């Protein structure tokens, strides 16, 4: 029988652009609580065994958001704390919120001062907002653009992101999750009309064979970033899914690490 191992030999650095790192069970978003109660070193081992050499992303909590912006700030501080433990392995991302414009802008400046350039993944449905068309986003995104932030977002309910992306041509936006076929078509349309938009491959989508090849053909590999949404999703499955699509090696390298290196300077 043919050995699978030839494909599991990891030769390329793999940057997982979409992780929600954790140390305690409060921040561990695995959908089957108790199956993987890992500490931070075990978490790193699990990702490294999947072939992942670097992770990026925000901390999320299992508990509903409490204390308004204070609750978000706590998640952001936890991300900084995890960076101290994980060192070069982790690029933290942080939260902002349209109901807290002043606090969000202060947080952007604070994070910038600590060398953080990634805002997000912003997760509207978890934090009680639903749209980027909300006027208060303008000021937050203006500030983020001035500070050279990259904005990673979970697509809001209304999918109305074009205006805010167009208004901030100097900022790179990264939409999360290709989704099902209809959503992939919407992403392609938006990617084709917004040169400062990229898509990360986490969550739903990669399991549909041909989806990634279609995306590469329609928008180019330079707009796609590898991501998993670990610990919600199994990271090894995503690594193998990218290896499983017949792509030019140069495109695969861009997806696995080249684009994240370029966008985030990691
Ligand atoms: Zn996520």
């Amino acid at each position: 029988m043919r050995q699978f191992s030839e494909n599991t030999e990891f030769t390329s650095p793999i940057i997982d652009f979409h992780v929600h790192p954790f140390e305690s069970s409060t921040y561990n978003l695995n959908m089957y609580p108790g199956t993987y109660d890992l500490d931070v070193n075990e978490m790193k081992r699990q990702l490294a065994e999947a072939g992942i050499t670097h992770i990026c992303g925000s901390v999320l909590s299992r508990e509903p958001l409490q204390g308004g912006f204070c609750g978000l700030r706590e998640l952001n501080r936890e991300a900084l704390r995890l960076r101290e433990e994980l060192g070069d392995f982790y690029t933290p991302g942080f939260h902002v919120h349209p109901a807290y414009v002043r606090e969000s802008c202060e947080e952007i400046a604070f994070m910038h001062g600590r060398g953080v350039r990634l805002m997000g993944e912003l997760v509207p449905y978890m934090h009680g907002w639903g749209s980027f068309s909300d006027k208060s986003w303008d000021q937050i995104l203006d500030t983020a653009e001035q500070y050279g932030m990259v904005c990673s977002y979970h697509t809001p309910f209304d999918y109305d992101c074009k205006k805010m992306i167009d208004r901030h041509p100097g900022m790179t936006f990264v939409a999360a999750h290709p989704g099902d076929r209809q959503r992939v078509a919407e992403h392609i349309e938006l990617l084709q009309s917004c040169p400062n938009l990229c898509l990360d491959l986490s969550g739903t989508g990669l399991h549909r064979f041909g989806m990634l090849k279609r995306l590469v053909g329609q928008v180019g590999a330079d707009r796609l970033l590898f991501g998993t949404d670990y610990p919600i999703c199994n990271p090894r499955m995503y690594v193998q899914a990218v290896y499983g699509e017949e792509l030019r090696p140069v495109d695969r390298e861009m997806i696995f690490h080249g684009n994240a290196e370029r966008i985030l300077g990691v």
Side-chain angles (χ1 to χ4, degrees), residues 57-176:
S58 59
V59 172
L60 291 174
S61 173
R62 305 193 71 85
E63 311 296 331
L65 181 64
Q66 274 171 9
F69 199 82
C70 289
L72 288 182
R73 202 181 282 124
E74 219 170 279
L75 300 179
N76 297 345
R77 296 302 168 272
E78 178 67 8
L80 290 179
R81 207 186 58 70
L82 283 174
R83 180 173 67 173
E84 290 193 3
E85 292 202 43
L86 291 166
D88 287 349
F89 188 70
Y90 173 45
T91 296
F94 65 96
H95 302 284
V96 291
H97 195 294
Y100 305 95
V101 174
R102 182 179 52 82
E103 291 88 341
S104 294
C105 293
E106 286 169 3
E107 193 66 5
I108 291 167
F110 176 84
M111 283 300 195
H112 179 263
R114 272 138 198 88
V116 179
R117 284 200 57 211
L118 177 61
M119 198 165 81
E121 183 201 22
L122 306 177
V123 191
Y125 71 92
M126 285 182 91
H127 294 153
W129 56 278
S131 171
F132 276 113
S133 5
D134 192 331
K135 230 12 206 145
S136 48
W137 273 113
D138 288 346
Q139 202 184 331
I140 296 172
L141 292 173
D142 287 352
T143 306
E145 187 174 21
Q146 281 161 22
Y147 279 98
M149 294 292 167
V150 171
C151 178
S152 152
Y153 66 89
H154 183 105
T155 307
F157 304 121
D158 61 2
Y159 201 77
D160 188 9
C161 309
K162 183 166 164 50
K163 245 184 263 144
M164 66 121 180
I165 295 169
D166 285 344
R167 269 184 59 97
H168 301 92
M171 184 151 78
T172 301
F173 291 85
V174 184

Side-chain angles (χ1 to χ4, degrees), residues 18 20 121 177 229:
H18 193 129
H20 300 292
E121 183 201 22
H177 319 313
D229 219 355

